[in-house]
Amino acid sequence: TGRDDNALAVSALAKGAAHFLLKDRMSQDLLSLVTSILESSGVSAVKSPVLRQRSEQLYQTLLSVMSEGVLLVDARGAIIFANDSLGRMTGRSASTLLGKDASHLFEASSRLRFQQWLAPFQSGSPSESVPWEGRLHVTEPMNGSGGEMIPVLVAGRAVTDDSGRRESC
């Protein structure tokens, strides 16, 4: 309904309605409602393609608006996702980072540590890695200066596909 009316909701539920959604709260309430209905009827929400697609869209939006830099790399270290915050940190547009070797975002000693950190993902060993600290190289002016090194904490884990195969980190 488009009416924000608790009495109407109570009345509808008393007359047999299973649920009650307000039109202006649909985006906040619909996904959790559908998920709970599917789970109560024995259907796994994870296996539902529509819910899975919507969940992915929400996740992508979250990553895009985060103030922290987010980077997703494949096992070779090539960037397959970078959010706008990482782009601002490095002085480059996030879209220009795609396909590039992520190790080049770091200063020399951090670059070596990044490559060492990436090695277990390349070999298919642990699903999680130990966080490490490094220095991100800023090549463009940021706050009026350029060529700065920004200390960063890097933590990661494997990202798997539906069959459990590691596809990125």
Side-chain angles (χ1 to χ4, degrees), residues 63-135:
L63 290 176
S64 296
V65 299
M66 288 180 68
S67 59
E68 293 85 10
V70 177
L71 177 69
L72 187 64
V73 299
D74 64 16
R76 297 168 301 139
I79 299 169
I80 57 177
F81 174 83
N83 69 353
D84 289 338
S85 293
L86 184 74
R88 284 189 297 279
M89 290 170 67
T90 61
R92 304 173 193 170
S93 135
S95 61
T96 64
L97 294 172
L98 298 179
K100 304 285 194 273
D101 180 356
S103 66
H104 294 294
L105 294 175
F106 299 96
E107 57 90 24
S109 64
S110 294
R111 185 175 303 138
L112 178 60
R113 293 185 67 210
F114 173 76
Q115 291 164 340
Q116 291 168 340
W117 172 83
L118 191 60
F121 294 106
Q122 293 170 330
S123 68
S125 49
S127 62
E128 296 194 25
S129 71
V130 177
W132 61 276
E133 291 185 32
R135 295 183 76 72

Side-chain angles (χ1 to χ4, degrees), residues 13 25 32 37-39 48 93 97 102 105 108-109 127 142-144 156 167:
L13 293 169
R25 292 205 31 93
S32 62
I37 291 169
L38 287 173
E39 287 173 353
S48 170
S93 135
L97 294 172
L105 294 175
S109 64
S127 62
M142 186 169 169
N143 298 329
E167 58 183 7

Side-chain angles (χ1 to χ4, degrees), residues 137-149:
H137 188 236
V138 177
T139 57
E140 299 294 323
M142 186 169 169
N143 298 329
S145 62
E148 297 180 56
M149 299 293 169

